Amino acid sequence: MILTLKRGVSKSEIRRVEKKIKSFGFRAHISRGAKDTTIGVIGENAILLREFFESDPAVRSIAQISKPYKLASRQIQSKDSVINIDGVKIGGKNFVIIAGPCSVESRPQLLAIARKAKKHGAKILRGGAFKPRTSPYSFQGLGAEGLKYLLEAKKITGLKIVTEVMEISQIELVDKYADMFQIGARNMQNFNLLKEIGKSRKPVLLKRGMSATVTELLMAAEYIMSGGNKNVVLCERGIRTFSQETRFTLDISAVSVLKKETHLPVIVDPSHSTGNRDYVPSMAYAAVAAGADGIIVEIHTDPLNALSDAAQTIDIPTFSAMAKKIGEIAKIFGKKI
Amino acid sequence: MILTLKRGVSKSEIRRVEKKIKSFGFRAHISRGAKDTTIGVIGENAILLREFFESDPAVRSIAQISKPYKLASRQIQSKDSVINIDGVKIGGKNFVIIAGPCSVESRPQLLAIARKAKKHGAKILRGGAFKPRTSPYSFQGLGAEGLKYLLEAKKITGLKIVTEVMEISQIELVDKYADMFQIGARNMQNFNLLKEIGKSRKPVLLKRGMSATVTELLMAAEYIMSGGNKNVVLCERGIRTFSQETRFTLDISAVSVLKKETHLPVIVDPSHSTGNRDYVPSMAYAAVAAGADGIIVEIHTDPLNALSDAAQTIDIPTFSAMAKKIGEIAKIFGKKI
Amino acid sequence: MILTLKRGVSKSEIRRVEKKIKSFGFRAHISRGAKDTTIGVIGENAILLREFFESDPAVRSIAQISKPYKLASRQIQSKDSVINIDGVKIGGKNFVIIAGPCSVESRPQLLAIARKAKKHGAKILRGGAFKPRTSPYSFQGLGAEGLKYLLEAKKITGLKIVTEVMEISQIELVDKYADMFQIGARNMQNFNLLKEIGKSRKPVLLKRGMSATVTELLMAAEYIMSGGNKNVVLCERGIRTFSQETRFTLDISAVSVLKKETHLPVIVDPSHSTGNRDYVPSMAYAAVAAGADGIIVEIHTDPLNALSDAAQTIDIPTFSAMAKKIGEIAKIFGKKI
Amino acid sequence: MILTLKRGVSKSEIRRVEKKIKSFGFRAHISRGAKDTTIGVIGENAILLREFFESDPAVRSIAQISKPYKLASRQIQSKDSVINIDGVKIGGKNFVIIAGPCSVESRPQLLAIARKAKKHGAKILRGGAFKPRTSPYSFQGLGAEGLKYLLEAKKITGLKIVTEVMEISQIELVDKYADMFQIGARNMQNFNLLKEIGKSRKPVLLKRGMSATVTELLMAAEYIMSGGNKNVVLCERGIRTFSQETRFTLDISAVSVLKKETHLPVIVDPSHSTGNRDYVPSMAYAAVAAGADGIIVEIHTDPLNALSDAAQTIDIPTFSAMAKKIGEIAKIFGKKI
């Protein structure tokens, strides 16, 4: 339920309404726009409170939110959210390139890649320290050691750091090193993890589950946001379909749907969605043209010898040419890298 | 099986090899490039003939085609096919916009839309005279009358005509009016229809079935091509997946896969794939950026009152703005409308 | 729209109502039950006629059919349809086994298989004379010759014959030999073919398209039924999903959904759905248990050398054991083979 | 890699081989059959050790395991595993019915349902204390209090208890009350959770993720088993497909595929897969007939007022009739409830 307050209502009146909402056991999300102040009433069956606010002197109108997500919805905030990653902005007119290796493999590997990423236009460095692997017998990441290399790469290049947190117990450690948490596709509905991340204020890159609907992705964002962390960036990374010519099927129209439904920034992962380096640049271009706010891409100085995801990792010359073309397309849409 | 002939081989030698192939009950597809002449040997288990050609004096090398499609494959023809639709080219550096109403509804409706399509950059007019409808109780198209209006629209505007043929018995009639046959998604594996169309030399727009793999699409093209009609343009129009936020899921990566596997031009249908006019322009931009050779889009002077597919039809101002932006993106990729 | 007439209404009154319906350009489908006479009003937007019948002296109540299919719906006929295939019944308490080779390959092959099919419990013989093949280079069936062998097998064994018709031009020929037309999955939305088959009164086995919804399958049945041919048997044969461990995914719950929505009999194809002979018996048992009215299964005296679909064809001892167990399960559900 | 040892090899020799394997940093899984002793060598690229065992005096033969899962594979153990849930057996000839409410809602609700479950043939009681809910605003379960009621129900009825553990931090608590852990579909690839559960020896019910392949399900089982916990029961609970007539699509053929690939027991969830109580009994029957080792079903004394999953929960009379019929079908397959 969304309350739109009367224009010119005083701050103390707003506080009174907020208090009233809380007295019923609900939470209040206050949004002050240029003209209107709206309050999202958060909690199950909030609409039942309608009668208690219909004649409230501070309330101009009451709208029911039919969408199951509230805080992530364009209804509660019409203008684009711009998320700040330690100075790097995602959303609005800011198109961001996140690049790096699939896994942090070694200090020299990471530093070499980070320098190239920076040189050719990336603003944020990706790299897995803890790796979710389908097989228990595969390389599981360097762990804490990998995090240290990421921080060192940040100091040298100025790139911000995003890395995956797979488990509640890893949050504290990752928080010390990363500028942005990544929640992987397989954890998109790990609700306990989402709740814990919601207690932080650090930005979160939330990847869509491989069989999650757009609504479910927004509900997952809602778990984080309802805990107080509004700094969520969504990522389309391919869905499971009958088509097996690419590893997953990039659901490019999800970008359009998300841009319509939510104010949160949306980026695209052309690497995991295709699983094939030959298709990465064209899918990155498609993402920009479809209206995405950024891409996250796997690059490597020696892709064929990457310890994981070798098949989908592009080399530096390909990345350099791709980043240049992305800039040209972004410009047509009034965005800049 | 592909035979690459020795350089400088004489025409009579080529004819001899061709004759030898035919004597085994196979067909020969001869392709003369700047440097090499290759002959595709067409027929099941053609590779069994290998031994008969290994010591042939005109043959330099023999390659097995592992792909189940042959004539459509890049292996048999590496450079892009450019298909000529009565003077309008699709493929290579030529990006084409095909636009028009879903159904031909009336003479004034069609002429009004055709004039607008032409004015804003379309080269080919689409419009269904025979309509495949899921319900037997829905509007089934104007039939022959619709075809006459299409031809009239061509005479007035100069636009070329593409329209669907649903049934073998319609081919003769449609052939008199259209410049290009359309095979709809539901008929992609109507093999008898494909064979008949293969006997024509008129260009064909072949739409991907909603659950067809890229390989099956190329096999369907192979049915047409093996009959002698090489003028096939492929169309990605959305696949069936669990995602229901759009009517189908536009498989944008299929464009990349197809451009790698086949020399045939590939276009995208942003209207049927999304089923929602709000998403049509962004999906059209994504198509250009992904490397497509054109789009086919439903437009209407009064979309809300279209007799079919109203929800996905864009109006003229949207089309005009979209076509302009498509031109800008195409330019980045060295293509022109 | 469905009109339920007043009890005891006279035949001439029924005729009057029927005539009135037709005068509006709609068709009337009259269903006389033990207690009630109902009339289905068939045509687009039939509900618009509501006002003209609300005060009609013969009409007791009017119900809107919200389902897009009408004649196939349980609303228009609540009790199971029993379809008669030249004396063999499908539906109600009659469970039927249809068996035979994928393709008719030769006279001796077919006769040998037919004798075994008959011996172990099949009532209807399947066998393709015209084969829809993904590749233009694959065996396309024996055609008219195959039909003759089927008829000979019928004369020898007493089995009824079902065979696929792929094309309108084949209907006349197939009609001379077969007791039941089969419409294949790839032709489920070949609407012109459905309309032509609707003009016949010969039973039709309509296979679900590999990406068709249950509603679309019922709409395809509606095409046939609205032409006057009510003898439709539906067949679930697997759908396209991300799962590739079987060739298609048998949608066993579609049997339950169909049994609830339609009065038409529903059978299951465990051969094409799995594409793997190891899984055929267990999927056949699942079909019986789920409530299907029959199965259609590929059998062969020498499966490994079958010209098509070898991987999914079971041998005679497997068929014999399977048919016996199917009988035991059917008995639990009050059905008999 | 699997080593098959020479017949009559001594225990000390087996210990020597085991030690040798460990000296390379790999783990050894020893399986003593009636005739043969086999040792699975567990670890990435175990096949590289081949040369070190080829001439080992205790080794008769070496086989490579091509499947990415090892311990779960039929190759390493051909006969069915029978899992013991505090005295209740699943697998082999033992068909088990697990029943109970979706969520534990209150003490009287749970006890009433447990008594009915017991009376009509269930051996294990299900009931969620911690609930994974798509929306942060939905009922999230009673938590620890719910666990206490489950234990009380066990004491009164003798039913064993299975309940979901969503998070590593819940393991210790759940372990005190439950006889079997449940890993939900959304956590099937929560690898850290799987590893922790692998350290326990308590049986685990592992549900297939809604877009997981059969191979991925077996890899998830492998995570648990490679930690030492061999007591894994797999559960097919429906996959995401384009078909929306049921909530998910029950992949019944996965039962057949799993029974072929793994020795672990396989059960089916007809409640979550269909999301519709009308289809639960027929899908339960299909599961038995397809070869499943059990079902897990949601029942309630007052389904319409269940706090979660009301639409798919069956009432007690339906459960009673269903359990009886399940017994009849199971008997045909030589199994008993």
Side-chain angles (χ1 to χ4, degrees):
Chain A
M1 185 173 67
I2 295 177
L3 310 177
T4 304
L5 302 191
K6 288 182 179 157
R7 297 208 174 146
V9 76
S10 70
K11 283 195 178 172
S12 68
E13 271 291 270
I14 296 175
R15 267 197 302 275
R16 183 189 54 77
V17 174
E18 187 183 5
K19 214 167 153 185
K20 184 173 164 187
I21 290 167
K22 288 179 177 169
S23 73
F24 289 105
F26 291 78
R27 264 163 301 140
H29 173 83
I30 301 174
S31 170
R32 286 192 189 85
K35 290 181 299 187
D36 284 320
T37 297
T38 57
I39 305 186
V41 183
I42 312 297
E44 195 157 30
N45 297 325
I47 195 65
L48 299 175
L49 296 189
R50 187 183 190 113
E51 59 182 310
F52 300 102
F53 290 95
E54 273 178 335
S55 55
D56 189 290
V59 173
R60 196 171 85 220
S61 65
I62 300 179
Q64 186 172 0
I65 305 186
S66 56
K67 305 286 183 182
Y69 42 89
K70 296 175 180 74
L71 302 175
S73 161
R74 282 253 186 228
Q75 281 185 277
I76 216 169
Q77 180 186 316
S78 62
K79 76 172 209 292
D80 287 350
S81 281
V82 176
I83 308 297
N84 189 319
I85 320 297
D86 192 24
V88 170
K89 289 177 181 170
I90 309 184
K93 291 298 171 193
N94 313 282
F95 190 94
V96 72
I97 297 178
I98 305 175
C102 176
S103 308
V104 179
E105 295 168 14
S106 72
R107 188 176 168 280
Q109 170 249 21
L110 186 70
L111 297 186
I113 294 173
R115 283 189 181 99
K116 295 295 188 183
K118 171 74 179 184
K119 181 180 171 188
H120 297 296
K123 291 275 172 59
I124 301 178
L125 179 67
R126 61 150 292 149
F130 301 102
K131 294 301 302 174
R133 301 304 297 272
T134 304
S135 166
Y137 311 124
S138 298
F139 173 61
Q140 308 267 325
L142 292 184
E145 200 185 336
L147 293 173
K148 282 175 199 162
Y149 301 153
L150 284 167
L151 189 58
E152 192 178 346
K154 178 182 179 177
K155 284 177 183 161
I156 292 173
T157 62
L159 292 169
K160 311 308 170 189
I161 301 299
V162 61
T163 197
E164 180 161 356
V165 56
M166 288 173 66
E167 226 290 298
I168 291 176
S169 66
Q170 296 168 352
I171 295 178
E172 199 181 332
L173 182 66
V174 172
D175 193 32
K176 285 183 196 155
Y177 296 93
D179 302 303
M180 187 180 209
F181 293 119
Q182 179 177 316
I183 304 285
R186 287 168 185 76
N187 270 324
M188 193 203 85
Q189 292 194 316
N190 183 336
F191 301 118
N192 295 63
L193 180 59
L194 298 176
K195 281 181 198 167
E196 280 302 309
I197 289 286
K199 294 176 188 165
S200 171
R201 292 300 173 268
K202 184 162 281 187
V204 185
L205 179 59
L206 177 65
K207 299 189 98 173
R208 181 183 181 185
M210 62 187 75
S211 64
T213 62
V214 163
T215 298
E216 288 169 344
L217 172 59
L218 290 172
M219 298 296 279
E222 196 78 11
Y223 259 95
I224 298 170
M225 298 175 85
S226 68
N229 189 348
K230 309 290 166 57
N231 301 308
V232 179
V233 173
L234 305 169
C235 180
E236 159 61 30
R237 49 76 72 208
I239 58 174
R240 274 260 158 96
T241 75
F242 71 84
S243 174
Q244 315 273 312
E245 275 101 359
T246 47
R247 201 163 145 224
F248 294 94
T249 299
L250 178 64
D251 182 6
I252 192 73
S253 57
V255 175
S256 301
V257 177
L258 284 166
K259 294 305 290 179
K260 185 179 174 189
E261 297 296 329
T262 182
H263 52 86
L264 297 172
V266 179
I267 71 169
V268 166
D269 180 341
S271 306
H272 287 87
S273 53
T274 60
N276 186 327
R277 72 170 61 89
D278 290 349
Y279 308 138
V280 166
S282 53
M283 291 302 100
Y285 306 148
V288 192
D293 298 298
I295 60 160
I296 179 166
V297 63
E298 292 188 355
I299 65 171
H300 204 288
T301 46
D302 184 11
L304 297 180
N305 289 311
L307 279 188
S308 50
D309 286 353
Q312 73 203 35
T313 300
I314 57 172
D315 61 16
I316 305 303
T318 304
F319 175 62
S320 167
M322 182 179 94
K324 197 167 161 289
K325 199 160 270 186
I326 285 173
E328 295 176 49
I329 305 170
K331 206 177 156 188
I332 292 178
F333 292 92
K335 291 181 183 176
K336 65 165 196 291
I337 302 187
Chain B
M1 187 173 65
I2 295 177
L3 310 178
T4 303
L5 303 191
K6 286 183 181 159
R7 295 204 176 149
V9 75
S10 70
K11 283 195 179 173
S12 67
E13 272 292 270
I14 296 176
R15 266 197 303 274
R16 183 188 55 76
V17 174
E18 187 183 5
K19 214 169 156 183
K20 184 173 165 187
I21 291 166
K22 288 180 177 168
S23 73
F24 289 104
F26 290 78
R27 265 163 302 140
H29 173 82
I30 301 174
S31 171
R32 287 193 188 84
K35 289 183 297 187
D36 285 320
T37 296
T38 57
I39 305 187
V41 183
I42 312 298
E44 196 157 26
N45 298 324
I47 195 65
L48 299 175
L49 296 189
R50 189 184 189 110
E51 59 181 309
F52 300 102
F53 290 94
E54 273 177 338
S55 54
D56 190 291
V59 172
R60 196 172 84 220
S61 65
I62 301 180
Q64 185 171 1
I65 304 186
S66 57
K67 305 285 182 182
Y69 42 89
K70 296 176 180 74
L71 302 175
S73 160
R74 281 255 185 228
Q75 281 186 275
I76 216 168
Q77 180 185 317
S78 61
K79 75 172 211 290
D80 287 351
S81 281
V82 176
I83 308 297
N84 189 319
I85 319 298
D86 192 23
V88 170
K89 289 177 181 169
I90 308 184
K93 292 297 172 194
N94 313 283
F95 190 95
V96 73
I97 297 177
I98 305 174
C102 176
S103 308
V104 179
E105 295 169 13
S106 71
R107 188 176 168 281
Q109 170 249 22
L110 186 71
L111 297 185
I113 294 173
R115 283 189 182 98
K116 296 295 187 182
K118 171 75 177 183
K119 179 178 172 188
H120 297 295
K123 291 275 172 58
I124 302 178
L125 178 68
R126 61 149 292 149
F130 301 102
K131 294 301 302 173
R133 301 303 297 272
T134 304
S135 166
Y137 311 124
S138 298
F139 172 62
Q140 310 267 326
L142 292 183
E145 200 185 337
L147 294 173
K148 283 176 197 161
Y149 301 152
L150 284 167
L151 189 59
E152 192 178 347
K154 177 182 180 178
K155 284 178 183 160
I156 292 173
T157 62
L159 290 169
K160 311 308 169 189
I161 302 299
V162 60
T163 197
E164 181 162 355
V165 56
M166 289 173 65
E167 228 288 300
I168 291 177
S169 65
Q170 297 168 353
I171 294 178
E172 198 182 333
L173 182 66
V174 172
D175 192 33
K176 286 183 193 153
Y177 295 93
D179 302 301
M180 187 180 209
F181 292 119
Q182 179 177 314
I183 303 285
R186 287 167 185 77
N187 270 324
M188 192 203 84
Q189 292 194 315
N190 182 335
F191 301 118
N192 294 64
L193 180 59
L194 298 176
K195 280 182 198 167
E196 280 301 309
I197 289 287
K199 294 177 188 165
S200 171
R201 292 299 173 268
K202 184 162 280 188
V204 185
L205 179 59
L206 177 65
K207 299 190 98 174
R208 180 183 181 186
M210 61 187 77
S211 65
T213 63
V214 162
T215 298
E216 287 169 344
L217 172 59
L218 289 172
M219 298 297 279
E222 195 78 13
Y223 259 96
I224 298 170
M225 297 176 84
S226 68
N229 189 348
K230 309 290 166 59
N231 301 308
V232 179
V233 174
L234 306 170
C235 180
E236 159 61 31
R237 49 75 74 206
I239 58 174
R240 274 259 158 97
T241 74
F242 72 85
S243 175
Q244 314 272 311
E245 274 101 359
T246 46
R247 202 164 145 224
F248 295 93
T249 298
L250 178 63
D251 182 5
I252 191 75
S253 57
V255 175
S256 302
V257 178
L258 283 166
K259 294 307 289 180
K260 186 181 173 186
E261 297 295 330
T262 183
H263 52 85
L264 297 172
V266 179
I267 71 170
V268 166
D269 179 340
S271 307
H272 286 88
S273 53
T274 61
N276 185 327
R277 72 170 62 88
D278 289 349
Y279 307 138
V280 166
S282 53
M283 291 303 100
Y285 306 149
V288 192
D293 299 298
I295 60 160
I296 178 165
V297 62
E298 292 187 357
I299 66 172
H300 203 286
T301 45
D302 183 10
L304 297 180
N305 289 312
L307 279 188
S308 50
D309 286 351
Q312 73 202 34
T313 300
I314 57 173
D315 60 17
I316 304 303
T318 304
F319 175 61
S320 167
M322 183 179 94
K324 196 167 160 292
K325 199 160 272 188
I326 285 174
E328 294 177 49
I329 304 170
K331 205 176 158 190
I332 291 178
F333 293 91
K335 291 181 183 176
K336 63 168 200 287
I337 302 187
Chain C
M1 185 173 67
I2 294 177
L3 310 178
T4 304
L5 301 191
K6 288 183 179 158
R7 296 207 175 146
V9 76
S10 70
K11 282 194 181 174
S12 68
E13 271 292 270
I14 295 175
R15 266 198 302 277
R16 182 189 54 76
V17 174
E18 187 183 4
K19 214 168 153 185
K20 183 171 162 188
I21 290 166
K22 288 179 176 168
S23 73
F24 289 105
F26 290 78
R27 264 162 304 140
H29 172 83
I30 301 173
S31 170
R32 286 194 188 82
K35 290 182 299 186
D36 284 320
T37 296
T38 56
I39 304 186
V41 183
I42 311 298
E44 195 158 28
N45 297 323
I47 195 65
L48 299 175
L49 297 188
R50 188 183 190 113
E51 61 182 307
F52 299 102
F53 289 94
E54 273 179 337
S55 56
D56 189 290
V59 173
R60 197 172 84 221
S61 66
I62 300 179
Q64 185 171 2
I65 305 185
S66 56
K67 305 286 183 183
Y69 42 89
K70 298 176 179 73
L71 302 174
S73 161
R74 281 256 185 227
Q75 280 185 277
I76 217 169
Q77 180 185 318
S78 62
K79 75 170 212 293
D80 287 350
S81 281
V82 176
I83 308 297
N84 190 318
I85 319 296
D86 192 24
V88 170
K89 288 177 181 169
I90 309 183
K93 292 297 171 194
N94 313 282
F95 190 93
V96 73
I97 296 178
I98 305 174
C102 176
S103 308
V104 179
E105 295 168 14
S106 70
R107 189 178 168 280
Q109 170 249 25
L110 187 70
L111 297 185
I113 294 173
R115 283 188 181 99
K116 296 295 188 181
K118 171 76 177 183
K119 181 180 172 188
H120 297 295
K123 291 274 172 58
I124 301 178
L125 178 67
R126 61 149 290 148
F130 301 103
K131 296 298 302 173
R133 302 303 297 272
T134 305
S135 167
Y137 311 124
S138 298
F139 173 62
Q140 309 267 326
L142 291 183
E145 199 185 338
L147 293 172
K148 282 174 197 161
Y149 301 152
L150 285 166
L151 188 59
E152 191 177 348
K154 177 182 181 177
K155 283 177 183 160
I156 292 171
T157 62
L159 290 170
K160 311 308 170 191
I161 300 299
V162 61
T163 197
E164 179 161 356
V165 56
M166 288 173 64
E167 227 290 301
I168 291 177
S169 66
Q170 297 168 352
I171 295 177
E172 198 181 333
L173 182 67
V174 172
D175 192 32
K176 286 184 194 153
Y177 295 92
D179 301 303
M180 185 180 210
F181 292 119
Q182 177 177 315
I183 303 285
R186 286 168 185 77
N187 270 324
M188 193 202 85
Q189 292 195 317
N190 182 335
F191 301 117
N192 295 63
L193 179 59
L194 299 176
K195 280 181 199 168
E196 280 302 308
I197 289 287
K199 294 176 188 164
S200 171
R201 290 301 172 268
K202 183 161 283 189
V204 185
L205 179 59
L206 177 65
K207 299 190 97 174
R208 180 183 182 186
M210 61 188 75
S211 64
T213 63
V214 163
T215 299
E216 287 168 344
L217 172 59
L218 290 171
M219 298 296 279
E222 195 79 13
Y223 259 96
I224 298 170
M225 298 175 84
S226 68
N229 189 349
K230 309 290 166 59
N231 302 308
V232 179
V233 174
L234 305 170
C235 180
E236 160 60 31
R237 47 78 70 208
I239 58 174
R240 274 260 159 96
T241 74
F242 71 85
S243 175
Q244 315 273 311
E245 275 101 359
T246 47
R247 202 164 143 223
F248 294 94
T249 298
L250 178 63
D251 183 7
I252 192 73
S253 57
V255 175
S256 302
V257 177
L258 284 166
K259 295 306 288 180
K260 186 180 173 190
E261 297 296 329
T262 182
H263 52 86
L264 297 173
V266 179
I267 71 169
V268 166
D269 179 341
S271 307
H272 286 88
S273 53
T274 61
N276 186 328
R277 73 170 61 89
D278 290 348
Y279 307 139
V280 166
S282 54
M283 292 303 100
Y285 305 149
V288 192
D293 299 298
I295 59 159
I296 178 164
V297 62
E298 293 187 356
I299 66 172
H300 204 286
T301 46
D302 184 10
L304 297 181
N305 291 310
L307 280 187
S308 50
D309 285 352
Q312 74 201 34
T313 300
I314 58 173
D315 61 18
I316 305 303
T318 303
F319 176 61
S320 167
M322 182 179 95
K324 197 166 160 292
K325 198 158 272 187
I326 285 173
E328 295 176 50
I329 304 171
K331 206 176 157 188
I332 293 178
F333 293 91
K335 291 181 183 176
K336 64 165 198 289
I337 301 187
Chain D
M1 185 173 65
I2 294 176
L3 310 177
T4 303
L5 301 191
K6 288 182 179 158
R7 296 205 176 147
V9 76
S10 71
K11 283 196 179 172
S12 68
E13 272 292 271
I14 296 176
R15 265 197 303 274
R16 182 189 54 77
V17 174
E18 188 183 3
K19 215 169 152 183
K20 184 172 164 187
I21 291 167
K22 288 178 176 168
S23 73
F24 289 105
F26 290 78
R27 265 162 302 142
H29 173 82
I30 301 174
S31 171
R32 287 194 188 82
K35 289 182 298 188
D36 285 321
T37 297
T38 56
I39 304 186
V41 183
I42 312 298
E44 195 158 28
N45 297 324
I47 195 65
L48 299 175
L49 296 188
R50 188 184 192 112
E51 59 183 309
F52 299 102
F53 290 94
E54 272 178 339
S55 56
D56 190 290
V59 173
R60 199 172 83 221
S61 66
I62 300 179
Q64 185 172 359
I65 305 184
S66 57
K67 306 285 183 182
Y69 42 91
K70 298 175 179 74
L71 302 174
S73 160
R74 281 255 186 228
Q75 281 184 276
I76 216 168
Q77 181 186 315
S78 62
K79 75 172 212 292
D80 287 351
S81 281
V82 176
I83 309 296
N84 189 319
I85 319 296
D86 192 24
V88 170
K89 288 177 181 168
I90 309 183
K93 292 297 171 193
N94 312 283
F95 190 93
V96 73
I97 297 178
I98 305 174
C102 176
S103 308
V104 179
E105 294 168 14
S106 71
R107 189 177 167 279
Q109 170 249 23
L110 186 70
L111 297 185
I113 293 173
R115 284 188 180 98
K116 297 294 188 183
K118 171 76 176 182
K119 181 179 172 188
H120 298 295
K123 291 273 171 59
I124 301 178
L125 179 67
R126 61 148 292 147
F130 301 102
K131 296 299 302 171
R133 301 303 298 272
T134 304
S135 165
Y137 311 123
S138 297
F139 173 60
Q140 309 268 325
L142 291 183
E145 199 185 338
L147 293 173
K148 283 175 197 161
Y149 301 152
L150 284 167
L151 188 59
E152 192 178 348
K154 177 183 181 178
K155 285 178 181 158
I156 292 172
T157 62
L159 291 169
K160 311 307 170 190
I161 301 298
V162 60
T163 197
E164 180 161 356
V165 56
M166 288 172 65
E167 226 290 300
I168 290 177
S169 66
Q170 297 168 352
I171 294 178
E172 198 181 333
L173 182 67
V174 172
D175 192 33
K176 287 184 192 153
Y177 296 92
D179 302 302
M180 186 180 210
F181 293 118
Q182 178 178 314
I183 303 284
R186 286 167 184 76
N187 270 323
M188 194 202 84
Q189 291 195 316
N190 183 335
F191 301 116
N192 294 63
L193 180 60
L194 298 176
K195 280 181 198 168
E196 279 302 308
I197 289 287
K199 294 177 187 165
S200 171
R201 291 300 172 269
K202 184 160 281 187
V204 185
L205 179 59
L206 177 65
K207 299 190 97 174
R208 179 182 182 187
M210 62 188 75
S211 64
T213 62
V214 163
T215 299
E216 287 168 344
L217 173 58
L218 289 171
M219 298 296 279
E222 195 79 12
Y223 259 95
I224 298 170
M225 299 176 84
S226 67
N229 189 349
K230 308 291 166 59
N231 301 308
V232 179
V233 174
L234 305 170
C235 180
E236 159 61 30
R237 47 76 73 206
I239 57 173
R240 275 260 157 96
T241 74
F242 72 84
S243 174
Q244 314 274 311
E245 274 102 359
T246 47
R247 200 163 143 225
F248 294 94
T249 298
L250 178 63
D251 182 6
I252 192 73
S253 57
V255 175
S256 303
V257 178
L258 283 166
K259 294 306 287 180
K260 185 180 174 190
E261 297 296 329
T262 183
H263 52 86
L264 298 172
V266 179
I267 71 169
V268 166
D269 180 341
S271 306
H272 286 88
S273 53
T274 60
N276 186 327
R277 73 171 59 89
D278 290 348
Y279 308 139
V280 167
S282 53
M283 291 304 98
Y285 306 149
V288 193
D293 300 297
I295 60 159
I296 179 166
V297 63
E298 292 188 356
I299 66 172
H300 204 286
T301 46
D302 184 10
L304 297 181
N305 289 311
L307 280 188
S308 49
D309 285 352
Q312 73 202 36
T313 300
I314 58 173
D315 61 19
I316 306 304
T318 304
F319 176 61
S320 167
M322 182 179 94
K324 197 166 161 293
K325 198 158 273 186
I326 285 173
E328 295 177 48
I329 304 170
K331 207 177 157 187
I332 293 178
F333 293 91
K335 290 182 184 176
K336 66 166 198 286
I337 301 188

